[in-house]
Amino acid sequence: MIHRLIIFGLIALLCSASCFSQTYKELAAEGIDSLEAGSYDAAVMLMQRAIELEPESAYNVMLFANIGTAFRELGKNEDAIAAYSSALNYAPLLTPVLQSRAVLYVEEREYRKAITDLSLILDVDSVNENALLLRGYSHNCMEQYADAERDYEKLCRLYPDNKEGKMGLAIVYGNLGKYEEATQMVSALAVAFPEDAEVYMIRANIEFGAGYDKLALSDIDIARSLAPDNVDSYLLEGDIYAAGGDFKMAEAAYDEAVRRGYPLELAKERLRSYKENRENIKR
């Protein structure tokens, strides 16, 4: 894992550094031990105390990086991003830290910032598998489909066994209206991964976009047989019926999604939107 690489690098540095006080080394080592043991609050406190003792030390890059990892494990994404940013002030092109911060930016839907970090990684390492995958995803989320297509196609050329890359490329092809390419790619995935519900959901979305509602509903049934509580399957089913004007069936599907945790107000808004769009088309 990324944080382990950072931790081990720090241990090596501390063991070879004779200029630090014993207290600094002890606090840092205890902080690392706490992080490895899953005591994240203690890890943050100990490493922050070490940094306070030697605030100008270049080796604090590793401590800040590990503080970021601890905050991330605690679910404190903003604090984690701040810690990773402090680490990058020391070493702006430290790939594991850039990648860790980019992942958090994606989780926070800060896709533009994620793309900036991932592009820095790819400037140094143009074939970085994870960076290509995550940047393609971020471009797709920003509806920058041509950029997403380039990243995913490069990823699939370099790493033909990357399942997530192929799934992402199929989705982008669908978003670009390249339904034949999208269907071919996702159908090949269905052969390779016949027990993966997500593959069938991707194909169902592509089929819905291409106007093949019956095929989409068939793939939804397959996906649901593999993952009965998949909320997205009920939402997509509702969308298909609502787009076709069958609001009774749509409402029943949305109700099932609500029973499985989808917010009621969002379901009502979804149905209302389809009804309004249909009324506008009639006018």
Side-chain angles (χ1 to χ4, degrees):
M1 293 178 63
I2 289 172
H3 80 260
R4 291 182 183 275
L5 293 174
I6 297 171
I7 288 168
F8 293 151
L10 177 58
I11 291 173
L13 289 170
L14 289 175
C15 289
S16 64
S18 59
C19 59
F20 292 124
S21 68
Q22 185 65 31
T23 305
Y24 179 95
K25 288 191 286 186
E26 286 177 349
L27 287 169
E30 287 179 32
I32 292 166
D33 288 343
S34 295
L35 182 60
E36 287 280 72
S39 300
Y40 303 119
D41 285 315
V44 169
M45 180 191 68
L46 288 162
M47 287 188 277
Q48 285 178 337
R49 284 175 58 193
I51 291 169
E52 288 171 2
L53 288 177
E54 298 282 351
E56 302 301 321
S57 170
Y59 296 122
N60 286 339
V61 59
M62 299 299 179
L63 291 179
F64 276 121
N66 286 309
I67 289 170
T69 299
F71 276 134
R72 182 180 176 186
E73 294 293 337
L74 289 166
K76 298 180 178 181
N77 283 3
E78 289 187 9
D79 290 331
I81 288 171
Y84 287 139
S85 298
S86 295
L88 290 166
N89 287 335
Y90 289 84
L93 297 178
L94 194 59
T95 295
V97 181
L98 282 168
Q99 187 163 298
S100 294
R101 189 171 69 174
V103 169
L104 290 177
Y105 280 143
V106 169
E107 290 179 5
E108 296 298 310
R109 300 185 180 182
E110 296 277 359
Y111 301 117
R112 194 177 303 278
K113 292 180 180 179
I115 289 169
T116 298
D117 280 354
L118 296 164
S119 296
L120 287 171
I121 294 171
L122 290 164
D123 284 343
V124 176
D125 177 11
S126 64
V127 298
N128 187 294
E129 185 175 5
N130 289 329
L132 284 169
L133 178 64
L134 199 55
R135 193 172 71 173
Y137 176 81
S138 298
H139 279 307
N140 186 52
C141 289
M142 292 187 68
E143 300 183 0
Q144 297 171 344
Y145 301 132
D147 291 327
E149 182 181 27
R150 279 192 292 272
D151 279 340
Y152 278 131
E153 285 186 339
K154 182 175 181 178
L155 175 67
C156 291
R157 281 196 309 272
L158 293 169
Y159 307 99
D161 294 330
N162 190 302
K163 174 186 171 185
E164 288 76 15
K166 290 180 179 179
M167 292 168 70
L169 184 56
I171 292 169
V172 170
Y173 281 155
N175 288 334
L176 287 168
K178 297 182 177 182
Y179 296 119
E180 183 176 351
E181 293 94 328
T183 301
Q184 287 177 352
M185 178 158 285
V186 77
S187 294
L189 285 167
V191 171
F193 304 98
E195 302 299 316
D196 191 329
E198 188 178 1
V199 171
Y200 295 101
M201 284 301 300
I202 291 172
R203 190 165 68 181
N205 272 285
I206 292 167
E207 289 161 343
F208 176 41
Y212 299 115
D213 292 355
K214 289 184 179 179
L215 289 175
L217 289 170
S218 177
D219 273 333
I220 287 172
D221 286 340
I222 297 172
R224 198 172 290 158
S225 71
L226 296 168
D229 290 325
N230 186 320
V231 172
D232 288 338
S233 71
Y234 294 98
L235 293 175
L236 181 56
E237 181 184 12
D239 290 347
I240 292 169
Y241 283 123
D246 191 340
F247 297 118
K248 184 176 180 180
M249 289 291 289
E251 188 170 4
Y254 291 145
D255 285 345
E256 287 296 330
V258 170
R259 274 193 277 274
R260 286 163 174 78
Y262 191 73
L264 176 60
E265 287 306 312
L266 291 181
K268 288 181 177 179
E269 179 57 33
R270 208 171 182 121
L271 185 61
R272 186 182 307 117
S273 177
Y274 274 108
K275 286 181 177 179
E276 290 176 355
N277 286 340
R278 199 160 184 84
E279 285 299 317
N280 290 335
I281 291 172
K282 287 180 181 178
R283 293 182 192 137

